[in-house]
Every structure is written in C-alpha cells, then in structure tokens.
Amino acid sequence: MQKQLNGINIYLIGMMGAGKTTVGELLAKQLGYRFIDTDDLITQATHQSISDIFATEGEEAFRDIESQVLSQLCAYQKFVIATGGGIILKRMNWSYLRHGIIIWLNVPVEELLNRLKEDTTRPLLQHPDHEQQLQTLLEKRKSLYAQADLEIMINSGDTPEQISTQILEKIPSILKPQSNALN
Ligand SMILES: Nc1ncnc2c1ncn2[C@@H]1O[C@H](COP(=O)(O)OP(=O)(O)O)[C@@H](O)[C@H]1O
Ligand SMILES: O=C(O)C1=C[C@@H](OP(=O)(O)O)[C@@H](O)[C@H](O)C1
Ligand SMILES: [Mg+2]
C-alpha cells in the first residue's frame, strides 16, 4: 500500500469525537507513516490549550492559526494527519487538504454523544444541550465533509482497528492510476 500511496499524506476529517485522532494513530502505524494532530501542533505552537485560545482570542483567531498549521504540513510526506473538526470551514484549507487524500469519518450524532458525554475539553461542546449542539454543527458542516475523497460510514461498535482496516481496503479505489506520461 505504501508504494501505491507514493508518500501522499492522508487527512482525516469529521466531527469532534469521530475518532480522527484515535484511528489516525492506528492507521499511521499500519502504513508505516508518521502521525500528527493539528490540534496538538496548535497547542505546541501557542503554548495554549485549544479551549484557552477560544476563550482568550476567539474562534476566528483559532481558525487562522489552524490554517497556518495546515499550510505548513503540505511540505511533508508520509503523514496521517488528524484535523480538528472545523478545519473544513475555511475555503483556503481545502487547497491544502487537496494535497493529500481526504477521508471523512462519518459518525452518527448519537454515537458522537456517547463518546463525548464526559468531555470537557472541547470549547464548542460547552453548550448545555450536547445533542442539539452536535446536530446543529453537523447540519452546517455535512455538505463540506461530503467533499472528501472517501467517506467511511461508522456505526456504534465499530472498533478503531476495524475502521483503520476498512480505510486501508478502500484507499486503492480512490488512487488515481500512476500516469506513465514518460513512456
Ligand atoms: N471507534 C471508536 N469506538 C469507540 N470510541 C471511540 C472510537 N474512536 C474514538 N473513540 C473515542 O471517542 C473519543 C474521541 O476520539 P478522538 O480520536 O479524540 O476523536 P476526534 O479526534 O475525531 O475528536 C475518545 O474518547 C476516543 O477514545
Ligand atoms: O469541531 C470543531 O470546530 C473543533 C474540533 C476540535 O478538534 P476535534 O475534532 O479533534 O475534537 C478542535 O479543533 C476545536 O475544539 C474545534
Ligand atoms: Mg482530535
């Protein structure tokens, strides 16, 4: 598979709680790729938690930093990149994401809710009604997530290992044949 990928990066997109970070780490191991999470890069670059950035500088400032971090990743190869759930919002980010293979982890709200019920780290989930908040965000974002190269439908009970395997099985179907323009 690595040979077929020819070093191209893999970007995981999807709602908060979709498993981008969890599945991404596994997928990287199976591909012999390195793993990176854009939120981690942002925290390292700013020495602030994501929540603190939202609280002190606001969401727009966070989105600008997120975009800068993403733009720098284009220079690298052989990475599985777990993105933040809102990375699809900025049109400019798609020009960076399109450097790689974009995979949407599509998880139903009830499963997201189940996974995030104890979560206190995500600033956009501080709304008292988590289900309503997730539903509203997903409705706004679904058409953007759907622009991914590959959609992985995930159901409750699907393990990270099963999802990673499913991704590996489906990637060949979206790889463009290597052009043999020189022959
Ligand atoms: N396939 C899965 N099944 C059950 N729980 C999962 C699965 N993938 C991730 N989780 C859990 O869901 C939460 C969010 O996972 P995470 O990888 O941080 O998602 P994201 O990066 O998309 O926000 C974590 O508690 C994680 O352990
Ligand atoms: O959905 C979003 O807008 C966000 C998702 C978070 O990342 P995860 O998707 O890893 O939770 C993080 O980037 C920030 O809280 C904003
Ligand atoms: Mg994450």
Side-chain angles (χ1 to χ4, degrees):
M1 167 74 76
Q2 242 216 47
K3 197 165 175 342
Q4 279 179 291
L5 285 172
N6 200 22
I8 193 169
N9 291 336
I10 293 178
Y11 293 91
L12 299 182
I13 65 171
M15 285 287 286
M16 59 181 94
K20 301 181 295 293
T21 304
T22 305
V23 171
E25 285 169 343
L26 266 177
L27 185 63
K29 276 198 192 88
Q30 287 178 296
L31 281 173
Y33 269 31
R34 286 174 290 176
F35 172 76
I36 202 99
D37 183 310
T38 54
D39 280 348
D40 289 347
L41 284 181
I42 292 166
T43 301
Q44 286 160 30
T46 61
H47 306 291
Q48 286 183 283
S49 72
I50 304 297
S51 294
D52 284 348
I53 298 171
F54 269 74
T56 57
E57 337 238 332
E59 180 171 353
E60 199 175 326
F62 171 81
R63 297 295 174 208
D64 288 343
I65 299 165
E66 190 176 46
S67 222
Q68 284 166 41
V69 159
L70 183 66
S71 69
Q72 285 156 21
L73 287 170
C74 295
Y76 298 92
Q77 285 202 326
K78 294 189 179 177
F79 269 99
V80 171
I81 300 158
T83 65
I87 207 145
I88 41 76
L89 295 170
K90 247 174 138 63
R91 181 186 295 272
M92 180 166 58
N93 290 346
W94 283 94
S95 65
Y96 305 133
L97 293 168
R98 290 286 179 218
H99 281 78
I101 293 175
I102 308 166
I103 300 177
W104 173 24
L105 302 187
N106 186 357
V107 181
V109 168
E110 51 275 13
E111 175 63 11
L112 295 177
L113 208 54
N114 183 39
R115 295 179 185 181
L116 297 173
K117 55 181 179 284
E118 311 294 328
D119 186 89
T120 57
T121 63
R122 292 167 166 91
L124 291 180
L125 209 55
Q126 301 318 311
H127 189 279
D129 181 348
H130 281 191
E131 183 167 9
Q132 182 56 53
Q133 181 63 356
L134 288 168
Q135 199 68 50
T136 305
L137 281 174
L138 183 55
E139 281 319 303
K140 282 183 189 160
R141 296 176 175 187
K142 204 164 194 154
S143 61
L144 293 169
Y145 288 135
Q147 292 173 39
D149 298 306
L150 181 62
E151 176 185 356
I152 302 289
M153 292 297 298
I154 294 165
N155 301 301
S156 173
D158 290 349
T159 66
E161 293 74 12
Q162 287 169 328
I163 295 163
S164 183
T165 301
Q166 193 185 349
I167 291 171
L168 290 171
E169 286 166 355
K170 291 195 172 177
I171 282 179
S173 65
I174 53 159
L175 285 177
K176 300 171 189 73
Q178 291 289 332
S179 69
N180 46 12
L182 298 178
N183 302 356

